[in-house]
Amino acid sequence: GESVGLHLPTLSVQEGDNSIINCAYSNSASDYFIWYKQESGKGPQFIIDIRSNMDKRQGQRVTVLLNKTVKHLSLQIAATQPGDSAVYFCAENPGGSYIPTFGRGTSLIVHP
Amino acid sequence: DAGITQSPRHKVTETGTPVTLRCHQTENHRYMYWYRQDPGHGLRLIHYSYGVKDTDKGEVSDGYSVSRSKTEDFLLTLESATSSQTSVYFCATGNRGDTQYFGPGTRLTVL
C-alpha cells in the first residue's frame, strides 16, 4: 500500500545538518503538545512533549519550541542521522481533554 | 510501545465479510482509541473508550463498532467490510492529559 509519507510536506537534509520541523496548531485552549515520529510500517512513537507553561523543552538531540502567541510548535533535531528519516507530526490537547488533534505531518528525508 | 499489541497485523478480506481487530494493552491505561491512517488524511479517530463498557464515536465511525469488556482489550469490528475501509488501523492508549501510546498497526485490505 502507499506510504504514509506520500502527499506530505517534505524536508530533505544532509546527514549531520540540523533539522527544523514546524507545526501550526489551531486551538488556543490547547495546553499540552506532543511530537511523534513514525517510521515506515510502524506505529507513531512518542518523541517529546511540552506543556503550555513552558516555551522550550530539550531531550536527547531534540528540542521543542512553543510559541503560544502565534500558535506555533517546532521540533529541532540536532545532527540529523539517516535513522531520523520518518514522518513527524505534532498533536495538541486542549486542557483536560483526552482526545488530541493530530497534524498531518512532515516527511523528513536524511541523505547520507 | 507501552505494551500495546494488535492482532492480526495483516489481513486481507472480501467485501461484505465481518472483520474484528483486537488491541491489547498491559499498561492499565484508562483510555483506548482506534484510528485509521490513510495517505493524505493523517490519523482519523474512529472510536474511543474512556473506561470498561464506556465508548463513544470519533469523526469517522460509520461502518465501525467497538467493544471494551476489560480494561486491557479494545475490539474494533467492521460488520460488513467495504473497499473504502482498506487502511492501516492503529490502536492507542493513554490517560487524560498525557501522551498517547500507539500499537504497531494492522494493515487491512478489503477486496
Side-chain angles (χ1 to χ4, degrees):
Chain A
E2 287 187 75
S3 166
V4 69
L6 292 181
H7 313 296
L8 293 176
T10 300
L11 175 65
S12 290
V13 300
Q14 291 296 128
E15 181 177 4
D17 287 351
N18 295 331
S19 302
I20 300 176
I21 299 170
N22 297 304
C23 177
Y25 64 93
S26 57
N27 191 340
S28 56
S30 292
D31 63 356
Y32 179 57
F33 305 88
I34 311 119
W35 278 102
Y36 290 93
K37 172 186 180 183
Q38 187 176 19
E39 297 174 273
S40 182
K42 296 185 178 181
Q45 179 184 11
F46 169 85
I47 303 173
I48 191 168
D49 58 2
I50 188 168
R51 299 199 182 267
S52 59
N53 60 350
M54 303 174 70
D55 298 322
K56 178 180 179 179
R57 191 168 188 216
Q58 289 184 290
Q60 186 177 13
R61 281 200 309 118
V62 294
T63 300
V64 55
L65 299 178
L66 175 62
N67 185 329
K68 295 181 287 293
T69 302
V70 294
K71 292 191 284 188
H72 183 266
L73 198 64
S74 69
L75 177 71
Q76 301 178 358
I77 305 174
T80 314
Q81 303 167 0
D84 294 327
S85 293
V87 172
Y88 291 81
F89 55 92
C90 64
E92 58 175 306
N93 234 355
S97 172
Y98 48 86
I99 302 178
T101 300
F102 292 93
R104 288 186 56 238
T106 297
S107 179
L108 175 65
I109 299 172
V110 183
H111 301 281
Chain B
D1 292 337
I4 303 169
T5 57
Q6 292 184 231
S7 59
R9 294 294 314 280
H10 302 271
K11 186 169 182 67
V12 180
T13 192
E14 294 187 349
T15 297
T17 61
V19 177
T20 295
L21 308 183
R22 179 179 183 247
C23 177
H24 179 78
Q25 61 141 334
T26 59
E27 298 298 310
N28 201 34
H29 288 155
R30 177 179 176 184
Y31 301 97
M32 297 186 75
Y33 311 79
W34 277 107
Y35 293 91
R36 60 178 290 174
Q37 187 176 47
D38 306 286
H41 289 279
L43 287 165
R44 292 185 290 176
L45 182 64
I46 305 171
H47 280 280
Y48 62 96
S49 169
Y50 46 96
V52 173
K53 293 185 168 47
D54 292 323
T55 66
D56 207 344
K57 297 178 180 180
E59 63 177 299
V60 291
S61 60
D62 287 349
Y64 302 94
S65 63
V66 290
S67 66
R68 191 169 178 201
S69 58
K70 297 186 292 185
T71 297
E72 55 267 34
D73 290 326
F74 194 32
L75 304 181
L76 176 70
T77 296
L78 291 66
E79 300 292 345
S80 178
T82 67
S83 58
S84 65
Q85 293 175 312
T86 292
S87 187
V88 180
Y89 291 85
F90 288 102
C91 174
T93 74
N95 290 318
R96 183 189 289 270
D98 205 347
T99 191
Q100 288 187 340
Y101 298 93
F102 286 83
T106 294
R107 184 173 293 275
L108 176 67
T109 302
V110 184
L111 302 175

